[in-house]
Amino acid sequence: MDPPTPDAAPAQPHANPVVTRTAPAAAAVGLPVDARTAAGPPSAQAHRPDALAEAVVRLGFATVQQVREAMGTSGGDGVADALVRLGVVSRQQLAHANAVRSGVEVFDFNTTVDPAAFELLNERSAHRYQAVPVRFDPDGTVVVAMADPANVFALDDLKIVMDRPVRPVLASAEDIAKLIAQAGRLDSVVAQVVDQSDASDDRSALSVADITDTSDDAPVVRLVNSIIARGVQDGASDIHFEPQAREVLVRFRIDGVLRSVTQVPLRFANGVSSRIKIMSDLDISERRVPQDGRVALQMAGRNLDLRVATLPTVHGEKIVIRVLDRSNVVHDLADLGFADDTLERFRSCYTRPYGAVLVTGPTGSGKSTTLYGTLNQLNSVDRNIITVEDPVEYRLAGVNQVQVNLKAGMSFAAGLRSILRCDPDVVMIGEVRDRETAKIAIESALTGHLVLATLHTNDAAGALARLTEMGVEPFLSSSAVSGILAQRLARRLCEHCREPHMVPASALRALVAEGRLPASLPSQMQVYRPGGCSRCGGSGYRGRMGVYEMLVVSPAIESLMVTGASADEISRQAMAEGMRTLREDGLMRVMRGETSLDELARAVG
């Protein structure tokens, strides 16, 4: 395989444009000059059929050639609809261009929202109209950020609801959701609960009556619901309630990193924990031993599974809620950020009729997500797919999923033995933890089954040594294992605030083995580092992506395994056959501007 090569850095996202009218720039779209000049004043030109296409070109959303091609295929549709149909622009970009064409201001997300303006519209109405009041004009007009400023019916309703004149500005639907979430701070909800509690003569009612109240108006119910809703809105994978000496610290794990979001007075700790236990059908009277539960709920049109775990600490019960969004099950492995060659190597392994495919990495590296995505690719009516998991994170239609239950004697090994008597084609093992499970998995792969499993190792070659440590003979694992995928999750740089900077190519070469980067690299390379803006919560990162290392067991590697070669020797042979290491894959993404060198060091080492 050729060593990783830097792709061209992606174009910078378009900044909020200044609303100006530059008719000559639109001339390139292809209309006769006399037709444009005869169209009349700018106000009339804004509504010409070609004006929206001109705005799209001026903003850089499409090229002149793309607009001309859309004109030729528009038929009875407008040019704008043709551009969307061809995938040249998105509906949001079209709305942006439409706003610029009409002279509507584009909202700058980094400006501060006036709390007094926001209070004019409740959260439910903000969601309904996709609108947020953000400030006041000097004459008292309310400036409202809207996803669709041309929606005259919504504007009329907003004027009536707020009893004030309204001036719309354009904001994306994503920005609207962020504005609503940021304006509804958790601190204000906590303060309201404290005020209500202080006004009550019977504070014990907080942990007895309120926690069993099914009404959303009960203080503790509203507090817990608000925290969970905020966590889901912010994309948290885990919500932590941590009792300390004087307060309960609430933290969200977002993009793999914990962030503190609010503090709840310690006297509310029992009420909050009891409310969460009632939601997840746990014993509220038991506070001395850990408990596990589950909650299924709908929120903002999304089906969520909440996995609840309690742990007694010196200050009270720590509670962690794992948020699993059932609508986020990966249906296409390409969505996980695989490079094309890595995905093709992985596909060549899991599409075989038999053999073991192992996915390795530390806890929280996305192994289960990759396996679920793989099962979705394999799932069909002519295959019997059975899994044994602890826990079953996502329910997959057409897949037989078995939950490990150690108290009932259902371990991974016991479940796997039973699965093999049920005529499976594909077996997925949530984790190979012990010698017995490892041996059964390898024997299953040797007897004509496709086995998907996870291991905890640092790299792909290390998985082979781990199997040997578990008691699997190398001659068996060399014949059974067809491929090993090692992976990590790295945070993706926020496109709105990432900052370019130059680093010497020698610093990049020092991160990988000699000769793994092309000799033609310039002496200085432009890469990006995190900035910090409102969209990413000031972190400089937004979302995560996979970093992968795919080892395919070839005859040469199989021979090395049988002779007891070290993991380093196997890794060098795999690299010679085309494997890109984790660090090389991550470095390729750094040079593309997708992540930073600091994040690569944190995620991969």
Side-chain angles (χ1 to χ4, degrees), residues 502-522:
M502 305 301 291
V503 298
S506 57
L508 302 181
R509 295 185 193 279
L511 296 176
V512 296
E514 187 176 353
R516 298 295 290 177
L517 288 180
S520 59
L521 283 182

Side-chain angles (χ1 to χ4, degrees), residues 259-272:
R259 304 179 188 176
S260 179
V261 292
T262 192
Q263 295 85 34
V264 178
L266 189 62
R267 72 174 187 266
F268 294 90
N270 287 343
V272 169

Side-chain angles (χ1 to χ4, degrees), residues 291-578:
Q291 298 186 68
D292 295 302
R294 197 173 198 132
V295 186
L297 54 84
Q298 267 200 340
M299 185 171 292
R302 299 158 65 182
N303 293 317
L304 303 175
D305 279 331
L306 307 182
R307 258 177 33 209
V308 178
T310 72
L311 181 69
T313 70
V314 292
H315 295 298
E317 284 185 293
K318 173 182 171 67
I319 297 178
V320 179
I321 301 176
R322 168 64 60 87
V323 181
L324 302 172
D325 188 345
R326 282 179 274 174
S327 64
N328 280 346
V329 179
V330 176
H331 296 285
D332 190 345
L333 287 171
D335 295 338
L336 296 179
F338 279 93
D340 291 342
D341 58 339
T342 303
L343 181 56
E344 186 55 40
R345 289 163 64 84
F346 183 48
R347 186 181 291 117
S348 70
C349 294
Y350 74 72
T351 52
R352 298 180 187 180
Y354 57 87
V357 180
L358 307 178
V359 181
T360 75
T363 301
S365 59
K367 300 186 300 297
S368 296
T369 301
T370 299
L371 286 183
Y372 280 121
T374 306
L375 288 179
N376 268 320
Q377 301 301 307
L378 295 170
N379 194 4
S380 61
V381 294
D382 59 343
R383 284 195 180 101
N384 179 21
I385 302 176
I386 308 179
T387 75
V388 53
E389 307 171 59
D390 184 25
V392 176
E393 293 190 356
Y394 295 101
R395 312 294 170 86
L396 301 178
V399 176
N400 306 282
Q401 297 174 271
V402 178
Q403 170 72 54
V404 167
N405 187 343
L406 295 179
K407 292 182 180 178
M410 174 63 81
S411 63
F412 276 106
L416 191 50
R417 280 195 297 269
S418 299
I419 285 173
L420 295 177
R421 294 192 289 268
C422 295
D423 185 33
D425 296 300
V426 180
V427 177
M428 193 269 270
I429 306 169
E431 184 181 345
V432 176
R433 296 178 178 175
D434 52 52
R435 177 176 183 174
E436 187 178 8
T437 304
K439 284 193 168 184
I440 298 173
I442 293 300
E443 290 169 2
S444 303
L446 289 171
T447 54
H449 302 91
L450 176 62
V451 177
L452 308 176
T454 70
L455 273 174
H456 288 283
T457 61
N458 291 327
D459 57 14
L464 301 172
R466 180 61 55 84
L467 290 175
T468 302
E469 293 170 1
M470 288 182 172
V472 178
E473 295 294 339
F475 73 90
L476 291 176
S477 57
S478 64
S479 301
V481 178
S482 56
I484 305 166
L485 178 72
Q487 67 178 73
R488 299 288 191 277
L489 289 178
R491 289 181 293 172
R492 190 184 298 273
L493 283 168
C494 175
E495 292 186 353
H496 298 280
C497 64
R498 62 179 186 172
E499 301 172 349
H501 72 116
M502 305 301 291
V503 298
S506 57
L508 302 181
R509 295 185 193 279
L511 296 176
V512 296
E514 187 176 353
R516 298 295 290 177
L517 288 180
S520 59
L521 283 182
S523 59
Q524 295 286 321
M525 288 285 299
Q526 177 177 289
V527 297
Y528 290 84
R529 59 190 173 195
C533 67
S534 301
R535 288 181 174 87
C536 60
S539 69
Y541 297 96
R542 195 176 184 194
R544 289 191 289 179
M545 60 186 176
V547 179
Y548 301 99
E549 172 181 301
M550 183 64 213
L551 186 153
V552 178
V553 178
S554 64
I557 292 177
E558 188 174 339
S559 298
L560 288 174
M561 293 168 63
V562 172
T563 58
S566 68
D568 286 342
E569 291 176 296
I570 293 172
S571 183
R572 282 195 293 270
Q573 178 61 34
M575 290 166 65
E577 295 177 359

